[in-house]
Amino acid sequence: MNKALPRSPHPRKRLNVAFLLADRFTLSAFANFVDVLRLAADEADHSRPIHCDWTVLSADMNPVRSSCGVTIQPDTRLQRAGSYDYIVVVGGLLGEASALAPEAVRFLQARAEEGVPLAGLCTGVFLLHEAGLLSGYRCCVSWFHHQDFLERFDGAELVSDQIFVVDRDRLTCSGGHSAAHLAAFLVERHVGHSAATKSLSIMIIDGAMSADKPQPGFPIRLAAKDPLVRKALIRMQQKIDGPETVLELADGLGVSRRRLERKFLADLGTTPSRAGLQLRLDHACALLNRTEKTVTQIAFATGFCDTSHFIRAFKSGLGLTPAEFRRTEFRRTKGRSTDGPQRAVGVLLPQAQPPAD
């Protein structure tokens, strides 16, 4: 459960947001967030900053390059920064040495001391943590970067199974469309529900999602407690279209195959290979249920060498062929509201025996 920010006493209070863009920042996260503000700022879609305002801050005013090569020209020098309701850090490619200028980091730290809420979009959560601004906070990171975060940081409670997290004066989201939903959350809180709904509607996004909405992509129903097993499962998700052998997985995690197998058996009662197959079949179920991809496309997307192999594995795990499963799910969900509760679908594989000595 997220800890909500205090509600503004004025329903149509102006929402003033400043952005700090990392070098090689993620353009989609920035664009989705700022477009919600733009569309909520005025009546219709005239884009006049009446109800909302936004600016891009910079230490040197040089254009900032996004990861796709498009550049953004900042508006305001840090030395001339005003008062803002939120400061939003948009992260970029991991490993970039000059992600944020030292002046920008000091600026964030000073504003945090003043109690200004800080937000991190996509890998912006990495930058906030590097600046020492997430210790003791729950924070959201994409499932794709979950392992990267664990390998770099301690001191934050990591959430990778929902689209955004609000914990006191820190707001973090997984990137992509979740940035639009986080922005809509703030617009609704400061400007009003109709403004948030209008923004998302114009962007052809079907309604605001609550923070605890699961991240789209790879459902995971294996509730691992062991840190090594959790890291292994995330790695499996990241490589779901080209799964590693158990030996390659163990080497990538820096442990022996035998140790990895024993950890899986103790924690989940199954082997790494069976757990990996369960992840792939669960993801196949999600693709069959949510997309119009062909069975062949789904077979390759989930790491099967050919369609017939996929069909055999799917039927062995679920008792239905992929086509039969899709028809069954279509009949079951026909007419059901998309906002209603979703039943978990997928396969639960039998428990494995301990590896032989």
Side-chain angles (χ1 to χ4, degrees), residues 60-324:
D60 55 20
M61 297 301 288
N62 290 329
V64 188
R65 183 176 53 159
S66 69
S67 59
C68 67
V70 173
T71 60
I72 296 292
Q73 177 61 54
D75 307 300
T76 307
R77 286 187 178 274
L78 287 176
Q79 297 89 331
R80 301 182 63 184
S83 298
Y84 308 104
D85 297 308
Y86 303 90
I87 299 172
V88 178
V89 178
V90 187
L93 298 180
L94 296 180
E96 296 293 326
S98 55
L100 279 183
E103 299 94 326
V105 174
R106 291 193 291 270
F107 172 81
L108 285 171
Q109 293 167 337
R111 290 303 174 96
E113 284 289 324
E114 296 169 5
V116 178
L118 306 179
L121 308 187
C122 195
T123 56
V125 64
F126 285 71
L127 302 179
L128 289 178
H129 204 294
E130 286 173 353
L133 299 172
L134 284 179
S135 182
Y137 284 89
R138 296 176 69 244
C139 60
C140 180
V141 68
S142 165
W143 64 264
F144 188 80
H145 292 302
H146 181 106
Q147 183 176 335
D148 298 312
F149 194 95
L150 289 177
E151 290 174 351
R152 293 187 184 203
F153 304 121
D154 294 314
E157 184 182 343
L158 192 59
V159 177
S160 295
D161 57 357
Q162 59 187 66
I163 58 172
F164 67 86
V165 168
V166 178
D167 187 356
R168 294 161 287 171
D169 53 358
R170 299 291 185 272
L171 307 89
T172 49
C173 82
S174 55
H177 269 187
S178 69
H181 291 291
L182 177 57
F185 169 83
L186 297 180
V187 167
E188 179 169 356
R189 188 163 291 279
H190 291 272
V191 182
H193 175 75
S194 61
T197 300
K198 182 197 75 171
S199 293
L200 295 177
S201 296
I202 295 175
M203 294 172 69
I204 318 180
I205 297 176
D206 288 335
M209 292 184 181
S210 61
D212 58 359
K213 182 74 174 179
Q215 290 182 22
F218 298 176
I220 180 167
R221 298 184 296 116
L222 294 168
K225 297 179 181 178
D226 186 279
L228 177 62
V229 176
R230 288 201 302 267
K231 289 176 68 174
L233 292 174
I234 293 295
R235 188 178 177 95
M236 289 175 182
Q237 287 180 301
Q238 293 175 345
K239 298 176 181 291
I240 204 159
D241 60 342
E244 297 176 313
T245 66
V246 177
L247 182 57
E248 289 170 337
L249 176 63
D251 287 344
L253 295 170
V255 299
S256 69
R257 172 175 177 163
R258 185 172 185 78
R259 183 185 176 200
L260 185 64
E261 288 176 335
R262 289 194 177 277
K263 288 284 188 179
F264 265 79
L265 182 64
D267 195 11
L268 299 177
T270 192
T271 65
S273 59
R274 284 178 176 272
L277 179 58
Q278 179 169 328
L279 287 179
R280 291 158 64 199
L281 292 179
D282 277 355
H283 187 46
C285 288
L287 293 176
L288 287 164
N289 196 28
R290 301 175 190 170
T291 76
E292 296 182 356
K293 291 180 181 290
T294 66
V295 171
T296 298
Q297 289 172 326
I298 292 172
F300 288 114
T302 50
F304 290 92
C305 59
D306 55 50
T307 306
S308 60
H309 181 206
F310 169 57
I311 293 172
R312 288 195 303 272
F314 195 94
K315 187 169 184 178
S316 176
L318 283 90
L320 299 170
T321 67
E324 290 168 343

Side-chain angles (χ1 to χ4, degrees), residues 35 37-50 52 54 198:
D35 241 16
L37 300 182
R38 175 184 72 85
L39 294 167
D42 195 5
E43 301 303 325
D45 61 347
H46 299 303
S47 303
R48 295 173 299 176
I50 296 174
C52 305
W54 54 93
K198 182 197 75 171

